Amino acid sequence: MVNLLTKSLIKLITNLNPISIGTKFFPTNSLETEYVELFNYTQTILFELDKAKITSDSILENLIRDVGGENLPKDYNFYELKPAEDRIEEYALVSNIIMGNDRYFYIELPDASHLINVFVKIIENERGEVVEKTATELVAKMLSKNDAIRVAIELIGIGLSEGIQVISAVGMTGAASIERAIHYTQNVGSFPGIAFTKLGGEYALVFDSPFLLQESRPMNLENYLFIDLIDSTKFIDKNGRNKLVELMTGIKNFIERECNGELEGYREGGDDFIAKFPSKDLAIRAGLDAAWFALDNGAKIRAGVGRSRREAGERAQLVDDLKAVSPLSLVVFELANGLYAYNIPSEFTRTLINLIENEKAKLIGVFAFVFIFTFLMSILGLGMFSFIGVIIALIYAFVA
């Protein structure tokens, strides 16, 4: 959550609604620690540009879109086991960006069956990895939650065709998927189906009648990142064209080597480009890293993530329409059916945020000094020089 005073200040400067500053995500390894430190050191702000309307209907619509309607049978029941909160949890978003989309899923058969070996082959053909296996259970790791749900549906259909009720669940870890399967049977019963989470809520697809899909295929969801340097002419005048080339080349190399991005239409010496990524979390991560890198080199970028080149470009251009005090370094993306953005604030904004969040005594002292200085100047008939007190207070705040 954002401190009320901090939120008011940020809204005044940016004219946008902040959800969080930094992150509450708790890191457990060196990579996560590196990103959490970047989020908190730069006081990266998550803005809500267009609030997502999170309902059971919208959850189902997004599921069909992401998994693919052709990968679902005609007859199924959709259950809400635990409703999602109608808000975005920033640490869950950070978790997805850092840790990626890898998901585990659990399969349980009522009795030992040869199907367990058939399921292993299908999972491996789908580029999954079987982690644990017994005569009636298996835990597998898939490339994404959507792939896990899609493959689980395929396996449930095969089980039903042979009169075997298959229960499945998806989770961030193998243990979480097993726990979710237990919760599923407690709430729904031992009916064939799959349980999963979406935006903090728990849901299930339950199948009553046998079905066989013609061929289960992963959805080819394209993810593009559009990056454009803000006011590149001013940057070149101040730093030279070689510095621009160095900056854009650094961003380009990171995107290609660390985020599996494929650059399109990049021209050396240019100030913008489009890159394609295998998943949305990688595109957002690349946009964030580009913004942090640009900030470290005295520059700002506008970036947009979308399912097409045009959509990514349009989201990046939203930065131009914002009525902020100064241009904002933003990474704009869709979440659920809303629009959100990460902002890397300027050093001035970070200083003000730090004063309000962590240096309240100093802030009170600064306001008291300005008030007393202005009062004394007024008594002495020198009210026109009151602004000097403000300048002194600002210099003290920055230096201290």
Side-chain angles (χ1 to χ4, degrees), residues 284-300:
I284 297 173
R285 178 174 158 185
L288 272 169
D289 277 290
W292 284 326
F293 185 69
L295 175 71
D296 198 40
N297 286 271
K300 294 180 180 180

Side-chain angles (χ1 to χ4, degrees), residues 24-38:
K24 293 181 180 179
F25 181 77
F26 184 79
T28 58
N29 57 47
S30 58
L31 177 65
E32 292 174 11
T33 300
E34 177 186 350
Y35 271 87
V36 167
E37 286 178 352
L38 275 169

Side-chain angles (χ1 to χ4, degrees), residues 19 48 50-63 78 80 82-90 92-93 197-203 334-340:
I19 294 177
E48 188 171 63
D50 184 14
K51 181 176 171 58
K53 298 174 179 62
I54 302 172
T55 64
S56 291
D57 289 340
S58 67
I59 293 287
L60 180 57
E61 287 172 9
N62 289 343
L63 176 70
F78 179 69
E80 181 181 77
K82 174 188 170 185
E85 294 185 20
D86 192 17
R87 64 190 180 96
I88 298 301
E89 295 288 359
E90 68 81 19
L93 178 58
T197 60
K198 285 281 185 180
L199 299 174
E202 279 193 42
Y203 303 89
E334 182 187 47
L335 191 58
N337 52 14
L339 206 57
Y340 295 80

Side-chain angles (χ1 to χ4, degrees), residues 55-103:
T55 64
S56 291
D57 289 340
S58 67
I59 293 287
L60 180 57
E61 287 172 9
N62 289 343
L63 176 70
I64 295 171
R65 180 197 67 190
D66 295 339
V67 174
E70 67 276 15
N71 294 320
L72 283 164
K74 292 182 179 179
D75 297 322
Y76 60 84
N77 293 302
F78 179 69
Y79 288 92
E80 181 181 77
L81 307 181
K82 174 188 170 185
E85 294 185 20
D86 192 17
R87 64 190 180 96
I88 298 301
E89 295 288 359
E90 68 81 19
Y91 49 84
L93 178 58
V94 171
S95 169
N96 189 54
I97 294 169
I98 298 174
M99 298 175 66
N101 269 329
D102 288 4
R103 289 295 185 274

Side-chain angles (χ1 to χ4, degrees), residues 1 24 27 62 108 123 153 227 231 289 349 359 377:
M1 296 296 290
K24 293 181 180 179
N62 289 343
E108 181 183 2
I123 289 167
I153 292 171
I227 287 181
D231 205 349
D289 277 290
T349 304
E359 304 284 351
M377 289 294 101

Side-chain angles (χ1 to χ4, degrees), residues 280-324:
K280 186 169 76 173
D281 58 284
L282 281 175
I284 297 173
R285 178 174 158 185
L288 272 169
D289 277 290
W292 284 326
F293 185 69
L295 175 71
D296 198 40
N297 286 271
K300 294 180 180 180
I301 66 164
R302 54 178 188 169
V305 176
R307 287 188 290 272
S308 68
R309 298 168 185 83
R310 181 183 180 86
E311 188 174 66
E314 287 175 343
R315 286 176 181 167
Q317 288 178 1
L318 284 175
V319 177
D320 299 336
D321 300 326
L322 300 177
K323 298 177 181 178

Side-chain angles (χ1 to χ4, degrees), residues 196-256:
F196 54 91
T197 60
K198 285 281 185 180
L199 299 174
E202 279 193 42
Y203 303 89
L205 290 173
V206 182
F207 307 95
D208 296 327
S209 54
F211 66 89
L212 276 176
L213 300 172
Q214 288 186 349
E215 186 178 3
S216 183
R217 292 182 177 178
M219 285 291 292
N220 184 25
L221 295 174
E222 296 183 328
N223 303 278
Y224 292 93
L225 171 68
F226 180 97
I227 287 181
D228 181 29
L229 198 68
I230 294 175
D231 205 349
S232 58
T233 303
K234 183 178 179 181
F235 182 84
I236 292 172
D237 290 341
K238 182 179 179 182
N239 302 283
R241 181 165 290 278
N242 288 341
K243 186 67 176 179
L244 172 70
V245 173
E246 180 184 329
L247 172 64
M248 298 304 288
T249 300
I251 295 174
K252 167 186 173 294
N253 290 341
F254 177 84
I255 285 174
E256 289 179 323

